Amino acid sequence: PQWLSASGLGCDSAAGKLVLASADGIFVMLRSGASRVALQDVCGDTDVLAADFGQDDRLWVACADALRMVPWPVVPHARSASTQSFPLGGLSDLRSFSLDVWARSEDEDVDKFPQGVALNEDRLTVLNPHNTSGFTLAGTLAAPAGQSWSAVSLRDDLVVVLESSGSVFVNNASSGGWRGPAKLPEGRTWTGLCALNG
């Protein structure tokens, strides 16, 4: 659509759905090409900062004033959708976030795996789900110093981070180790990442 100037992206684990975020709204595309949904009014009068799919196929949108859960699927070609809103609480400069789509079983050590990661003021902030507030801040990841982060993506225990110059770093949340940088091809503007399974 003409109104879309993508500032970030998110996806489900199988890349069956892709969500593009722009200041004006979000645009969801299905891999099959069968459906596209544009939601321009999801954040009301505030800007859309980022969007991603989380557990149970929930679509989460970070607005300038709150984190909103948008029911999915929505009616194709809808301009808006009813949302559940949660305060951003401590994420004053949110630029990107990514949620893990897999629910952890009760016998797994959930503290070992981040459920979400947000890029906030050049810090990688770990998010944990919370029943009444959406997500709570659980700490920060120790990251390579001197980087200007622009996007983050999370799958299982891997945190993939894009640096503004087009370099990618990967953190293994289980071990705390970092790999990178790996340089993406030049001549393009990289605005987001989608970490896939496999």
Side-chain angles (χ1 to χ4, degrees):
Q2 292 180 354
W3 57 266
L4 184 68
S5 175
S7 58
L9 80 114
C11 64
D12 67 346
S13 62
K17 291 180 292 299
L18 182 70
V19 57
L20 300 172
S22 80
D24 297 324
I26 59 172
F27 187 74
V28 180
M29 296 181 295
L30 302 183
R31 183 180 206 175
S32 64
S35 179
R36 296 183 179 130
V37 179
L39 297 172
Q40 290 178 268
D41 299 329
V42 71
C43 287
D45 293 335
T46 66
D47 286 348
V48 173
L49 305 175
D52 197 16
F53 284 95
Q55 292 178 8
D56 301 324
D57 211 24
R58 294 182 183 135
L59 177 57
W60 290 87
V61 180
C63 303
D65 63 345
L67 191 61
R68 296 197 172 126
M69 185 178 63
V70 180
W72 183 261
V74 296
V75 177
H77 308 295
R79 289 187 53 81
S80 63
S82 62
T83 62
Q84 194 172 0
S85 189
F86 304 95
L88 285 175
L91 297 174
S92 59
D93 187 25
L94 182 88
R95 290 191 302 245
S96 176
F97 77 100
S98 184
L99 304 173
D100 195 353
V101 297
W102 302 112
R104 303 289 174 197
S105 65
E106 290 185 19
D107 59 340
E108 285 185 278
D109 182 3
V110 294
D111 294 332
K112 186 176 177 182
F113 301 99
Q115 300 292 296
V117 176
L119 173 58
N120 185 51
E121 298 176 352
D122 272 343
R123 288 190 311 267
L124 297 171
T125 304
V126 177
L127 305 174
N128 281 338
H130 189 273
N131 290 339
T132 59
S133 63
F135 288 87
T136 59
L137 307 183
T140 57
L141 290 176
Q147 305 301 322
S148 177
W149 306 120
S150 60
V152 62
S153 189
L154 169 68
R155 270 316 156 248
D156 295 326
D157 65 344
L158 294 181
V159 180
V160 183
V161 189
L162 176 65
E163 203 269 338
S164 60
S165 69
S167 294
V168 174
F169 293 77
V170 178
N171 171 258
N172 183 313
S174 297
S175 69
W178 283 87
R179 292 190 321 250
K183 189 76 171 153
L184 293 174
E186 294 182 13
R188 293 181 172 86
T189 301
W190 300 95
T191 59
L193 295 168
C194 181
L196 304 176
N197 290 335

